[in-house]
Amino acid sequence: MRFRATVNKANTEVLWKLVQGLQKTSRMFEKKTSRFLVRMCPSDFAMTIRGQEEGADFLCWCQIPMKRLCETVLIESKRHDIIGVSIELEHLANALRYASAGEVTMLRLAKKDGVPVLCFEIRLAHPDSANDVAMIITHQCFVEILPGEEAESLTTPGLEGLKEWRFFLPNFRQVKSCVERLRIAGGEEIVLEIHKEGGGDSTNATLKLSMETPDVNLVATFANADLLVDDDDEPPGPQAAAGNEAGARQRRGRRSGQTFFKAKAVSTLMHSASLVSDRGVFC
């Protein structure tokens, strides 16, 4: 089993931002139940958090094409060149924080006293010449190599049953700001509603975030939640058919969908996403 890769400064900074976002997201989970896993293969570099919150399973997945991330890469394993490791998220974040200051970072799997480690060889440029190396810093993170079957099982989460409504969320920071203001009312849950505007093939939609408490009812409306897919003519998938009451209302209305979220979770997710992008797709 071998893994070696070269990552330039710009891509190291992108990777660090992604890990920062995953750190924020991981704080929603019960720490004793969460695991941070990394899968490396010739086609992509993927990171995932699996955890629980009040008994419910959660999964957060991030994937980057290997050709985009690395300038050079070598991956070899007996399991179709797939390598999976478990690593402490905080340790990886610290290593990438140092690596983001370097011009080039060399990554490789190695062993220290018989224990597998992910090594970061960070090359800092000379202040007077970008072509000269002023210093090399080595950072090591202890990892646990995943069994072949588990490494192969780390695949992109499917969206079956989640495609009845797919739309662009407005700017993440704007959504987070609205959620924070709604939380001031003291409620724990936020209702998210999407309403299709117009008929036929129209992709115009309105997004509403609302919170109701015994004392106040607050609503925030966004008019730019463009639909990606209109599934009016498609039957719901197996997961949607077994969905909750909110899902049932969504299928009956077809021109609108409604579901409930914890306000704190929505705020955390929007903050994490805003570290790497402005907008995203909600399913």
Side-chain angles (χ1 to χ4, degrees):
M1 178 182 297
R2 292 197 295 173
F3 170 71
R4 291 201 304 269
T6 304
V7 185
N8 63 30
K9 179 179 179 63
N11 288 344
T12 301
E13 291 174 348
V14 170
L15 191 58
W16 183 35
K17 286 184 178 180
L18 289 172
V19 170
Q20 284 180 299
L22 291 171
Q23 273 188 300
K24 292 285 185 182
T25 304
S26 70
R27 291 168 188 162
M28 295 190 302
F29 305 147
E30 299 170 8
K31 188 169 183 180
K32 62 182 180 181
T33 67
S34 64
R35 294 182 73 198
F36 179 70
L37 308 175
V38 177
R39 186 200 68 182
M40 298 164 285
C41 68
S43 61
D44 54 64
F45 182 95
M47 301 177 290
T48 180
I49 303 173
R50 295 180 175 182
Q52 290 187 333
E53 174 64 22
E54 297 182 356
D57 293 330
F58 284 84
L59 170 67
C60 185
W61 179 273
C62 178
Q63 183 172 311
I64 313 171
M66 193 65 81
K67 289 183 178 179
R68 178 181 177 184
L69 178 65
C70 304
E71 294 183 341
T72 63
V73 61
L74 171 66
I75 302 177
E76 295 179 352
S77 78
K78 295 180 180 179
R79 287 280 183 173
H80 310 293
D81 293 334
I82 297 175
I83 299 174
V85 301
S86 173
I87 185 172
E88 287 292 332
L89 183 53
E90 291 77 9
H91 297 172
L92 179 60
N94 286 336
L96 288 172
R97 180 165 60 88
Y98 287 111
S100 65
E103 289 299 313
V104 176
T105 299
M106 309 288 291
L107 300 176
R108 63 186 177 90
L109 276 178
K111 285 191 175 182
K112 181 177 181 180
D113 299 328
V115 179
V117 294
L118 180 61
C119 293
F120 294 75
E121 187 178 287
I122 306 160
R123 303 191 175 193
L124 303 179
H126 195 281
D128 298 326
S129 174
N131 296 323
D132 295 330
V133 177
M135 183 183 302
I136 296 178
I137 299 174
T138 301
H139 198 111
Q140 297 177 335
C141 299
F142 290 102
V143 300
E144 175 188 348
I145 304 296
L146 301 181
E149 295 83 357
E150 185 175 2
E152 288 184 317
S153 71
L154 297 177
T155 56
T156 306
L159 294 178
E160 293 79 5
L162 299 177
K163 294 184 179 180
E164 280 194 275
W165 291 99
R166 295 198 302 166
F167 58 90
F168 278 109
L169 276 173
N171 183 282
F172 288 133
R173 295 186 185 276
Q174 292 178 351
V175 175
K176 178 180 180 295
S177 178
C178 285
V179 172
E180 289 298 319
R181 284 166 172 75
L182 292 174
R183 289 180 65 190
I184 294 175
E188 294 296 328
E189 281 192 338
I190 281 183
V191 181
L192 184 150
E193 298 178 74
I194 184 77
H195 298 273
K196 181 181 175 181
E197 306 291 344
D201 297 330
S202 172
T203 59
N204 296 328
T206 298
L207 173 68
K208 289 186 177 181
L209 299 176
S210 61
M211 175 179 288
E212 184 174 353
T213 71
D215 301 318
V216 66
N217 185 13
L218 300 175
V219 179
T221 302
F222 295 90
N224 59 339
D226 299 330
L227 294 174
L228 285 179
V229 176
D230 181 0
D231 288 277
D232 283 351
D233 298 325
E234 295 182 12
Q239 294 181 25
N244 57 22
E245 181 183 354
R249 287 198 298 271
Q250 174 178 317
R251 290 191 295 278
R252 287 197 295 270
R254 302 304 297 185
R255 292 188 59 81
S256 65
Q258 183 185 77
T259 189
F260 300 84
F261 294 95
K262 286 187 176 181
K264 183 178 179 181
V266 174
S267 178
T268 302
L269 286 173
M270 292 302 101
H271 178 72
S272 301
S274 69
L275 294 174
V276 294
S277 181
D278 292 326
R279 300 185 71 193
V281 178
F282 186 91
C283 300

